[in-house]
Amino acid sequence: MASDGRVQNLMDIRRIVSPDQALDVESLNIHTGQDQGHPSLGILIRTVVHTPVIKWAFAARIRHARYNDVVIVRESSVEIKLFNHRSRLEDVARTADFGGSIRAAAIIGASKTSFHLTRREDASNRRESSTGSVTGTFMIPPQMLALVLNGDSEQFLLILFAFHDETSEVRFASFRHELFASAESTHRLGELIAVDAYSRAIAVSAQEGRLALYRLAPQADVVHDVQRDGKIIEENFKPILEERLIKVDGHILQMAFLQPPNDDPSLLILLLIVSVRGQLKRYTFQWDSAQNLQGMEFHPHKHPVDRYLTSPVLLIPLKISPGFALVCEQKLGVCGDVRINEFAQIDDLCDSEESVYEAADDPGSSLDVPLYTSWARPPRHAGFNARGEDTVYLCREDGLIRLVEFHINGRTVTDSNTPLGHLRVNVNTAFTVLDDDGDDDDDDDGDGGGDDDDSSRSKGLAADVLLVGGNKSSGGLFVLQARKDATLQQSVPNWTPIRDLTVVPRRGYAPGDDVVSQTRIFTCSGWGRRHGSVCEIRYGIQALEIDRIGLEDSPYRHLWLLPDESSASVYVLASSAAGSDIFCFNNGDLEPVQLQTESAIPSFIDRERPTICAGRTRHGIFVQVTELSIKAISLPDPGHNNPQRLHEAFEGLSVANACIEGAQSSLLMTAQTASNHVLLHARLLEQNGSWSLLKSKPLVLEEEPTCIHIVHVEGCNIAFVGTRAGDLQLFEIIDENLKYHEVYRFEEEDGICEGVLVLSGSQDERLGTLCYFASTANKSNKRNPIQRVWFTDGQGIGVSRSGVRSVAQLEPWNQALLVAPYEYEDITFTLFESELGVLQLDLVSGPRVIPRHMRVGGNPCQVLYLETFRKLVVALTINGVVDPASCAKETTDNARLSFSALRFLDPDDCEAGDIQVKEEAFDVPQNLPPDTRSFAAIVGRSGERITGISDWAIAIADKRWQFLLVGTMRPSRNGELQRGRIWMYSILPNRNGKLSLEWKHNFDAEEPIYSIAGYDDTSFIYCSGKSLFRQHLDVLDNVRRLGDKASTDLGSIGRSIGVRDSLIYVSTSTHSLRVFQVVPNGFRVISSDTRCRSSMHQLVLPTSGLVLASDKDRILSGFWPSFNSARPDQLQTLFEAELPAKISCLREAVLRPTIEANCELDYPTALASTTDGTIYQIHILNDAMCRLLHFIQLRVERNKTLCPKISRRSATTSPANLPSDLKNPRERHIDGDILIRILQGDCKARLSDQLRQLLSYDDDGEVDPQLMEVFRKLTLAAFPDTAGSSADDLIGAVREYLGALLVGSGSGMNRHPFG
């Protein structure tokens, strides 16, 4: 903040997405020019969107017993979230320093019943801040997390816990132990892990036929060693005492520790479900926990599994006996005591009470009956288990929930199971029951019952909170109550799997920005008719629709919220052209307020005129502004009967827009005078017990204002003014006067800025600006309803819908005034055309990556953006359509068919694109579901699958045609061979301004079409089987006919195809990348890779010959055609980068502003996506920059603070071993996720100190001047303009470059990667 109190940096509203040997410096050779006809380049890859898939979730207190934490485990990271007092997840900490991918996870430690927290203590703790540390000395948490990881060349077991350090930052202490290595098969290495209920042992399936056992140190010993003098000594954290490797005959399918019997509590029982030469058996290992593992002989008790129990999917250990439950495809078997050979009960999991499962409609991956994939045990008090009862939830992959209750009678256990309904999400990964304050130990009467007032709770029928991760649909927090359907409490966004990706250019930016072509990301995500969607990956605020109130024939255009703590309710003031109405929102109901009311507020409202603005100040003043006057009334004083009133008319002004900032009693207005549009600011002041209005001088506006908003930031009021020109102007209010600051312009070319709302979070935080627009072809015409809003809902509902008229939110200081019906924190009211939506915004988590789903009614496989029409075309598959022939036979097992379809979407709207279809041209099945009737075309017949789509423009003379090419794979009549077909559709605008899709041609191919693309104005190319074809189209007398066809052999299947500068690039399944040129007689090979790779995708960067290509080995390579070299037929490999997963798509895109002129990039940037939802930003680096960043990355990797896990295993990355030529293509891969660690600071000085520390001290903390000399030479080569600069200036130049490259423009430390 400046000395005069003004804000220096206003919010940017676009952000709502081994030194053992000496180092010879002089021998460091730097190449900056061409080398044998091709440049020396490098690649920098940075993760901009992390995978949303949650593999495991645990309700575990791994920070402290007082914190009700939830542990989220993803592919390569762990997150801690706080389950707060409002039953919502709040971010706490995240770590990804593991050096490998996570294969299995489990919790070590006692359950909450051993923490001795009363319900009152636990509820109080849950209201504490997630970032605050526990007062007093540091303590070892009662629970820890065990992970099995796969590294680059090793597998290891990692045990960790979290704690708050002296600065209240969350840190992780970990113990790393390598698993047994073997030359035998390791396909299931570490895939199963089991922990004893009393944390005495861990079992890991080390590999096929081998089992690793680990004896753990007692909790008291760990506390004694690690917790010293109120501090955590991480070096003393060694929880494993010994280990033992055991050979097992067979394939381990399931594994679990069972509850020890009451008469022998020191006994350890490990149960394995093993497949031995096609037979299912159970192995039981038993030993005393006090004995050493090395001194014992392990001989399992072997028994066959009941013949009715086949294909086990879940193994559930019981808490009430040394027994277990085995869940199979359609059966549930219960064994009350593992020492008894027989199963006490076998139940059928598919009964007639369940709803009929539609095989391919739901998001499950099974083609037949869906499988049970997860189980979870709800938290219950100790007395519940003492009564011999146990309860678990089973969850099926399509979201069906089943409650299973186990009852013990002697040594026999029986069960009863009941389906509870559908969650309507995919459940294939994380599933757990959270601790929602129900398992208390506050049992004063001593009966062990805990909560005597809630008898249904002890029966397992009261409210439980389920956390579902989701991997083919969004997940969420669901509240499950007795005799009620599950309700969504909080959405868990998901956009996997990503099968395809396209980018859409943005239009319009703030003046002065050097933005060339920012892009929006759209993906094919989800599965099934319910969850299949085209998803826009955005950066914003997540919203959840919690209520919807119908307003039939609603005339209202705007609404405002007026909280009244005296009645614990909210008045909703709604305005229409005929006047104003006031409603009372209480207990979830919205009722009109009559004039005969006890409150003085409704009676003071002017109902005869439309309301321009209304609000309430911090001092309890209710304000209403109409076109001609302002009215204000105070809350009644307990000592006075009459409230204070103010009524002031405007002279010579007609108010058009107004906004109230209640915290400062400020009022912002735009008005129409006789000749101008003006902006005014006013403030309500108290003088001698009465209120008056202090107004500023009017400020003339150049554009007609349409909306305004005012916020108070760091002691200064900021005014936002939206105009009919479609821009947003910012003003500072200083001493009641208005000062122009800047203007922003948006992407809607014909847009009118209809509204602006600055979202506010807790503690008066401002989290971002919400804008919505109305697009019209002619601004003088009647305006349409608002088209869209700038934040979205993870479930695809709420404010992301079209037709929004107004948005209203309580200010933070208002939220504390009210209690039920809703906790008004984060509540936003949204006025639609015929209803009022009550939305809950996730302001605690703040802005983050949130998907905007556009449902397509099937399984999307490819998406394409048509620049000419600004529409998205989606290729999808519709599964689960019942065959009419099977229905005619009146059989219970109806055959199901699948169809392929095309659908058009408007990227700026959630509704389908404006497409007219000539249905008579298509063979449309009459039995399609109702939600799929909006398809533009049904492609082919049943079983035909779309494998490629491409647009193709033809321009001949003065005429231009736009075609859509569709390649398919179809079964032959005998069903043994696959054939192909190409469909051609014409897209034409009609007289109504809409688009018409019309079928033109289709022809068959002997083999499937794997890829297709337009080539020039007269031909297109495609890959069919192992051949490349070019199909010519003749146009004679305005009649289009298919002409000649040329072909060439590829040697293997051509998976993807691309065209750039008349060259054809084909990625093949075994012959890597090949480059062709069209010649009169067919094709000629220009270049090909020297290695046999299984290529997947390729991208040719414009203005260069550089080609990015991915393969099945997770390698992204950069190729350069060697036209001028001695071997012109070879592709030169410039660099290679190994990624954690296979790339599903490559696209050219820009997510953030370009770099400043002195460090501008020479090559375009690109995006790479993987099926797990990860999206990478790709930068191509010149040789000098690659060497500089390679050197900095080595220094970061050797720093134990920045890279604690990587530095321990990278003993060869010392700068003394810095290669002088970087000949290995793998060395030219710069990991942006490692470089970003030195930018995690809040100020430039801290960043400079971090760089200076890395470049001045070696790994042992000794001063090494050679490091700075190497840095100086590399920096001068990368930045020639810095010649003669000091070391500080060089560090500053690198800091600015890294900040712009990895984060955003300038230093940009707070800018999100989306820019």
Side-chain angles (χ1 to χ4, degrees), residues 100 127 257 314 337 370 434 438 532 561 637 719 724 813 831 1004:
R127 287 176 167 82
F257 278 98
L314 297 174
D337 195 327
L434 303 187
L561 305 181
D637 192 332
R724 186 171 285 273
W813 51 269
L831 179 64
D1004 297 339

Side-chain angles (χ1 to χ4, degrees), residues 495-511:
W495 50 88
T496 62
I498 295 181
R499 298 181 183 87
D500 194 18
L501 177 148
T502 191
V503 294
V504 176
R506 295 186 186 273
R507 297 176 176 87
Y509 304 94

Side-chain angles (χ1 to χ4, degrees), residues 950-1074:
S950 175
D951 60 332
W952 180 36
I954 299 179
I956 301 178
D958 296 334
K959 294 186 177 181
R960 182 179 181 86
W961 293 272
Q962 189 76 28
F963 287 96
L964 185 65
L965 303 174
V966 181
T968 66
M969 174 190 297
R970 61 189 179 92
S972 62
R973 293 185 177 181
N974 57 18
E976 295 179 358
L977 300 177
Q978 293 286 337
R979 298 183 181 274
R981 183 180 290 162
I982 293 180
W983 299 78
M984 297 176 57
Y985 300 94
S986 177
I987 306 175
L988 297 173
N990 59 22
R991 296 179 179 179
N992 298 328
K994 298 183 179 181
L995 299 179
S996 176
L997 181 65
E998 184 176 351
W999 169 81
K1000 289 298 181 182
H1001 301 282
N1002 69 275
F1003 60 91
D1004 297 339
E1006 293 296 327
E1007 296 181 275
I1009 308 298
Y1010 292 102
S1011 54
I1012 190 169
Y1015 180 71
D1016 56 19
D1017 285 344
T1018 61
S1019 62
F1020 60 90
I1021 55 178
Y1022 61 94
C1023 293
S1024 176
K1026 300 180 181 181
S1027 300
L1028 171 65
F1029 294 88
R1030 176 173 177 255
Q1031 178 66 61
H1032 193 270
L1033 185 67
D1034 295 331
V1035 180
L1036 298 175
D1037 299 330
N1038 292 328
V1039 178
R1040 297 179 293 272
R1041 296 183 179 89
L1042 296 177
D1044 298 333
K1045 180 168 61 176
S1047 65
T1048 187
D1049 182 50
L1050 295 174
S1052 57
I1053 294 174
R1055 287 198 175 108
S1056 66
I1057 190 170
V1059 179
R1060 179 77 68 176
D1061 299 330
S1062 301
L1063 296 180
I1064 302 173
Y1065 300 80
V1066 182
S1067 294
T1068 64
S1069 59
T1070 59
H1071 290 72
S1072 188
L1073 178 68
R1074 307 186 70 182

Side-chain angles (χ1 to χ4, degrees), residues 1076-1091:
F1076 295 88
Q1077 183 183 36
V1078 175
V1079 295
N1081 296 327
F1083 303 92
R1084 182 170 67 92
V1085 178
I1086 297 296
S1087 297
S1088 62
D1089 191 8
T1090 57
R1091 293 172 53 188

Side-chain angles (χ1 to χ4, degrees), residues 279-479:
Q279 295 183 351
L280 206 60
K281 296 185 177 182
R282 53 187 177 97
Y283 291 0
T284 306
F285 295 89
Q286 302 183 27
W287 71 97
D288 195 300
S289 60
Q291 296 180 357
N292 294 330
L293 296 177
Q294 299 298 334
M296 292 188 298
E297 294 184 2
F298 288 90
H299 299 290
H301 301 281
K302 302 179 181 180
H303 301 283
V305 177
D306 193 284
R307 61 188 179 91
Y308 293 104
L309 300 175
T310 61
S311 302
V313 292
L314 297 174
L315 176 61
I316 306 174
L318 303 181
K319 293 189 66 176
I320 55 178
S321 71
F324 66 95
L326 191 64
V327 181
C328 301
E329 289 186 354
Q330 302 181 27
K331 300 289 183 177
L332 171 64
V334 182
C335 178
D337 195 327
V338 73
R339 296 168 294 184
I340 301 176
N341 298 336
E342 297 80 12
F343 282 84
Q345 187 173 347
I346 298 179
D347 295 335
D348 195 341
L349 290 177
C350 297
D351 52 42
S352 58
E353 297 181 3
E354 297 184 23
S355 59
V356 177
Y357 174 74
E358 298 182 5
D361 178 39
D362 288 337
S365 59
S366 300
L367 298 178
D368 197 5
V369 177
L371 302 177
Y372 283 89
T373 57
S374 304
W375 72 276
R377 177 174 282 111
R380 297 292 186 260
H381 54 73
F384 183 80
N385 295 325
R387 292 196 295 265
E389 300 178 6
D390 192 9
T391 301
V392 298
Y393 287 110
L394 296 182
C395 192
R396 214 166 59 178
E397 60 184 330
D398 62 341
L400 177 72
I401 297 293
R402 180 183 290 270
L403 179 68
V404 182
E405 297 177 301
F406 302 97
H407 310 273
I408 187 169
N409 183 13
R411 301 184 67 178
T412 302
V413 174
T414 59
D415 74 283
S416 60
N417 60 87
T418 306
L420 301 181
H422 279 272
L423 299 179
R424 299 301 178 185
V425 297
N426 169 254
V427 185
N428 238 347
T429 52
F431 176 74
T432 190
V433 184
L434 303 187
D435 181 8
D436 194 23
D437 209 14
D439 53 328
D440 60 271
D441 296 303
D442 194 5
D443 188 15
D444 296 334
D445 55 9
D447 62 356
D451 189 359
D452 295 326
D453 297 331
D454 193 0
S455 59
S456 64
R457 178 72 185 180
S458 62
K459 296 179 181 180
L461 297 178
D464 284 318
V465 181
L466 312 180
L467 172 59
V468 179
N471 67 338
K472 292 182 180 178
S473 69
S474 293
L477 285 181
F478 294 87
V479 178

Side-chain angles (χ1 to χ4, degrees), residues 152 201 248 260 295 309 388 436 444 527 533 684 706 716 718 762 876 967 1041 1192 1202 1235:
D152 294 339
V248 178
L309 300 175
D436 194 23
D444 296 334
W527 184 266
S533 66
L684 283 168
T706 55
C716 179
I718 308 299
S762 59
L876 60 136
R1041 296 183 179 89
I1192 296 177
L1202 297 177
L1235 292 182

